């Protein structure tokens, strides 16, 4: 049954219950089928780490993982993530213990305003898992979907190299 808006006629389908497995927890959200995963995460689940930058899939600020692959949450329908494992930046740390990439970003000041940082970290972790960080050129290429408007790219690459090389930053 469609919801009716008296000013404009039919508006769209009514909200439906959608089970989402996010950061190891199953949650049921009531959303319209056209709701993006990003909006469901931020507005319905209160997981605001993934950022809405461009809402067009060009900046990477909304990067999350679905079934272990990095995806842009702004371009993914939440209903399409049902039954799949979604991981956000909030799910990367192990309790109070930050992920090595999070620690490296802090050590290398790989952020300035911090807006792109969650998406950068999510992509950087997968970049290493994918084996695409052999050179700085590889890192730049495979991180090119994540834009940093503050231009902290040298620091981001340094953080990625540190984790890639297994250094803990204690010097």
């Amino acid at each position: 049954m469609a919801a009716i808006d008296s000013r404009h006629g039919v508006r769209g389908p009514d909200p439906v219950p959608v089970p989402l497995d996010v950061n190891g927890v199953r949650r049921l959200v009531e959303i319209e089928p056209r709701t993006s995963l990003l909006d469901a995460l931020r507005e319905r689940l209160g997981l605001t780490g993934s950022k809405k930058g461009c809402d067009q899939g060009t900046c990477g600020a909304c990067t999350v993982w679905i079934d272990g692959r990095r995806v842009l949450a702004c371009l993914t329908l939440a209903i399409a993530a049902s039954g799949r494992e979604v991981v956000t930046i909030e799910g990367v740390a192990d309790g109070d213990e930050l992920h090595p990439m999070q620690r490296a970003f802090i050590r290398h000041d790989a952020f300035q305003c911090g807006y792109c940082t969650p998406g950068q970290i999510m992509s950087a972790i997968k970049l290493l898992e994918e084996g695409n960080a052999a050179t700085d050129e590889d890192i730049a290429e495979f991180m090119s979907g994540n834009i940093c408007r503050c231009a902290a790219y040298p620091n981001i690459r340094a953080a990625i190299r540190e984790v890639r090389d297994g250094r803990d930053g204690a010097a």
Side-chain angles (χ1 to χ4, degrees):
M1 173 171 235
I4 302 296
D5 179 336
S6 61
R7 296 171 302 176
H8 301 102
V10 175
R11 178 179 63 94
D14 288 330
V16 296
V18 176
L20 292 175
D21 297 320
V22 182
N23 301 328
V25 177
R26 174 157 284 194
R27 315 244 323 253
L28 189 64
V29 293
E30 288 274 332
I31 54 173
E32 291 184 5
R34 62 186 173 192
T35 302
S36 73
L37 178 58
L38 180 61
D39 287 342
L41 292 169
R42 292 181 58 80
E43 297 171 15
R44 298 294 193 268
L45 298 178
L47 298 171
T48 58
S50 303
K51 303 301 183 208
K52 186 179 278 198
C54 65
D55 211 22
Q56 298 176 0
T58 59
C59 74
C62 66
T63 303
V64 299
W65 306 333
I66 296 181
D67 293 339
R69 296 183 64 210
R70 46 184 164 158
V71 299
L72 300 171
C74 73
L75 296 182
T76 304
L77 292 176
I79 202 163
S82 181
R84 301 169 76 191
E85 181 57 37
V86 177
V87 178
T88 68
I89 191 69
E90 291 91 347
V92 171
D94 184 11
D96 290 336
E97 182 68 25
L98 294 178
H99 186 280
M101 189 65 71
Q102 291 172 304
R103 292 192 307 266
F105 264 62
I106 292 168
R107 275 192 297 278
H108 289 277
D109 194 24
F111 52 88
Q112 288 182 22
C113 77
Y115 200 81
C116 73
T117 305
Q120 295 277 358
I121 289 171
M122 297 299 285
S123 282
I125 292 168
K126 286 302 171 185
L127 169 79
L128 293 179
E129 289 180 13
E130 296 160 359
N132 292 321
T135 66
D136 276 2
E137 292 78 19
D138 289 341
I139 293 170
E141 174 68 24
F142 288 95
M143 290 289 292
S144 65
N146 292 84
I147 296 172
C148 174
R149 288 178 176 88
C150 299
Y153 297 114
N155 303 32
I156 292 168
R157 284 191 300 273
I160 293 170
R161 284 192 308 267
E162 176 184 303
V163 176
R164 175 197 67 196
D165 296 343
R167 294 177 278 134
D168 66 2

